[in-house]
Amino acid sequence: MDERDAEIEVCQAIWPELTQGQEDPYLLNLVVDVELNDPLELLFKEPETVHGEGNVNYVSEKVKYLPPLQVAIALPSGYPETAPPQVSISTTPSWLPREKLQELEDLAFSLWKTGTSDILYCYIERIFEQPQDHFGYTSGIKIGSELRLSLLEFQASVIKAAFDASTIACTVCLERKSGAECYKLARCGHVFCKGCLHDFYTAMIQEGSVQSVTCPSPDCHILSASGGKVQPSIPPAELLDMGMEPETVQRYAYMKRKKAIDSDRSIVRCPRTWCDGSSRSKKYPPMKDIAEMRELDETTTTESTSSDEALNSKIAICDKCELTFCRRCKKTWHGDFAFCGTSEEAAADLASMEFIQQHSCECPSCGSAITKSSGCNHMVCFNCRTHFCYICGTWLEPGNPYPHFNTLGTQCYQQLWVEEDLIERKTLVRRRVPDRAPNFDAQVNAILMEQLRLEDEQ
Amino acid sequence: MAAPNKRVLKEFSDCSTNPPPGCKVSLVDEANFKEWNVLIDGPANSPYAGGRFKVNFVLPDDYPFKPPVVTFKTKIYHCNVTNDATGSVCIAMLKPDAWKPASMCKQVIEAIRGLLIVPNVDDPLELEIATQYKENRVEFDKKAKEWTKKYRA
């Protein structure tokens, strides 16, 4: 009997995965899985580093699962007496550096040279030890960045396969299911069977309890920024991942957004009865594709009343029908300087309006109210750079503005340096009267009457 | 919804063969697994000691997505149980936003037993009883013992 056959038989008894070639029984193949107890550090060279050799940046990833080593061992005739075993090792993709592979291949020759018996056995045993020893690397393996994605994907697929093959007791239906029938929630890691998750979430979405689309475990929560307990919502894309119908998920995403908007005081509903839109806001951008909605932000959906663009202006634009309306009186937009709402609100508006009228001049181009703090009456608008006269509000030629103040007999003759306080109010041909609501005078009268009545009562 | 029904069977068999201490679980009607009769002995270290309380569990059709409806059938002097014909119970885990599909009836039974030992005076259904518990414990204990004896199931 060939000494090689005896050696192969022994090894196959220990490692059944050691296979013989179809044509050549002395060509052996072995797959060595790389599944590590301690994660191995991989250093991926960052592609954008172009500065000299000394300045290379690396992205570090710690992995536990890597593509296996494919080991081919040929025992030529004359082995073990006269011919050494010939080994070739590879990985797909080739993540283990060629020098290391060479070193492992050469190991077979060194063993043969020392004249040990059971070379095949010793060699395979040494190879199997390699992964747990991190192949002798102590400070990570440097790898080209192009492999990063495929290696991470490989690891994910191994973990998924192990999960699918496991058995899990679902705590909702209390049955044991295979991992493939189950789903692990991304945020908290709790596992349930897809059937229970599907039925539960579908029922909650159908009855409109979108706030209940959370982990089915009792007491599963995260701590919010303010220290309170928050039950994290499941993002729409995850519902699709677990196999829910797109129509249901679409409804969920729509209702979730609508509820957040409805509970936000800075947002007003569109006044058109047939439209269910609301005022546009950066906080609630139009809905994206549900498959891309991987995040549902829990913290910004409530109680953000201040620092919102909406509160600084009365103008609102419906995000659905694009109607431009006033957030206070809900009527079609009437301009910033019209009065509406309750008498108190209108009185406040009136007071600021009067102040603006007495202490500012309107830019003849853009209408911005401009107050002079000091200097001459030749003004340049802060907003549109228009040149104008602060006294009468006339547009002035940017290249030569001064004749306006130098021409005998005109209204502003010799008035270039007149201080704001000395400008006689009556002479102010002020300026375009801002857009007033049609019932402006009536409203002002009503406010004055109300104030007189209150004074009388006191 | 076949799976949750199976769950009801499993939960019942677990609760009836292996109930929490001092408790006994049976069906109101042998043909209906969704209505349970739970007998809870008054815990030794409480004014309810020596008593026995009959508590009714009705599991809704969409159980376990919705919580069971729990009512005391035996009158009890307790701030978290309404003093009326219904005998409604207030337990945190039965509130709609707290109940989760993975919550179990056994935990509810244990929670009720816990309430008999320490009532939740901050969230009472019977305000007067809660106030008495806080301000005049002797009088509360006396009345609770009296009712326990009088209405024992």
Side-chain angles (χ1 to χ4, degrees), chain A residues 34 42 50 60 84 88 91 93 137 145 152 176 210 247 269 288 321 366 407 410 412 419:
Chain A
V34 183
L42 301 182
V50 280
S60 165
S88 113
T91 56
Y137 290 98
S145 64
L152 292 180
R176 298 186 75 77
V210 288
E247 303 78 52
R269 301 279 286 277
K288 294 183 289 188
C321 72
C366 69
T407 312
T410 58
C412 300
E419 289 296 320

Side-chain angles (χ1 to χ4, degrees), chain A residues 172 174 207 214 216 231, chain B residues 6-7 10 65-66 100 102:
Chain A
V172 175
L174 306 181
E207 66 169 43
T214 56
Q231 296 176 357
Chain B
K6 249 187 185 171
R7 156 161 166 166
K10 284 198 174 186
F65 302 160
K66 288 292 158 68
K100 296 284 174 165

Side-chain angles (χ1 to χ4, degrees), chain A residues 160 308 387:
Chain A
K160 170 132 194 350
D308 192 62
H387 293 240

Side-chain angles (χ1 to χ4, degrees), chain B residues 2 6-7 29 42 62 73 78 87 95 103-104 120-121 143:
Chain B
K6 249 187 185 171
R7 156 161 166 166
D29 166 9
D62 43 4
K73 290 297 164 197
H78 193 291
K95 290 183 179 171
S103 308
M104 309 279 271
N120 179 5
V121 287
K143 194 130 188 210

Side-chain angles (χ1 to χ4, degrees), chain A residues 264-284:
Chain A
D264 190 326
R265 287 202 296 124
S266 68
I267 302 289
V268 286
R269 301 279 286 277
C270 177
R272 282 178 167 159
T273 48
W274 48 265
C275 176
D276 64 346
S278 45
S279 59
R280 228 179 247 166
S281 166
K282 283 178 197 142
K283 268 200 294 186
Y284 307 101

